Amino acid sequence: MSINLGFMCSGRGSNLRAILEAIAEGRLDAHPAIVISNDPMAKALSVAKESGVRAVCIPSTGLSRGDHEQKVLEVLETEALDFLVLAGYMRILSETFLREFKDPRGFYRIVNIHPSLLPAFPGKSAYEEAFNYGVKVSGITIHLVDEKIDHGFILAQEAFPRYDDDTLATFKARGLAVEHKLFPEVLQILAQGQLSFLTRELVQP
Ligand code: GRF
């Protein structure tokens, strides 16, 4: 089953690129319907355009969160998305926004990637915080979004080591390679409709 995906991005778009490559190579059975960025400078917009994917910038600067989200919803309204994918989207979504993606099974059809083994190191600086803490192992989490930040039902986690001679840059690069592998794999599981594990009971905190 092919699924219709929308993406929200704020930055360089390397995960978006990895997902679009997986689609092009037939590893992910999905249609990339639209990419929305809140930042006109986001490289993700050009990543989308290069692949012929509809790219829309809805700048968040100067708008309240509610007004910005309303504009995003107006654009997404016609897209009939199966899942909204947060691929480096750096803003917090309100409950009003989440409710637009409520699935009858009791979860929101929004997926996020976070560069730590949640619940460790939530927030915007997960790589830096994990590295500075001195972890020996870190990892990547892909989860459904809920009302709390970097929280929600975990779809997949993959660990990676931190070596003694790592710098923050080498540590991040190792993690990013895991991100680019794991994200398309998890989306493919969703595309195959293997959602039987997403029961209401499991999703409740
Ligand atoms: C990634 O590290 C992702 O885990 C985090 O934001 C970063 C986005 O990177 N949520 P990119 O824009 O996909 O290159």
Side-chain angles (χ1 to χ4, degrees), residues 114-178:
H114 183 77
S116 74
L117 291 175
L118 290 173
F121 308 114
K124 285 186 178 174
S125 308
Y127 277 122
E128 288 78 2
E129 287 180 20
F131 184 81
N132 291 336
Y133 194 91
V135 298
K136 299 294 184 194
V137 173
S138 193
I140 303 302
T141 302
I142 299 183
H143 65 97
L144 293 176
V145 170
D146 71 6
E147 294 81 359
K148 297 181 194 158
I149 296 168
D150 295 327
H151 189 269
F153 183 79
I154 291 175
L155 296 167
Q157 288 185 311
E158 187 167 322
F160 63 89
R162 176 249 185 79
Y163 297 128
D164 290 344
D165 60 353
D166 264 346
T167 61
L168 177 60
T170 58
F171 177 71
K172 272 188 180 178
R174 192 172 304 114
L176 203 57
V178 176

Side-chain angles (χ1 to χ4, degrees), residues 11-16 87-88 90 112-115 127 176 179-180:
R12 83 198 135 170
S14 71
N15 278 285
L16 173 68
M90 302 313 279
N112 185 41
I113 184 163
H114 183 77
Y127 277 122
L176 203 57
E179 294 193 40
H180 296 163

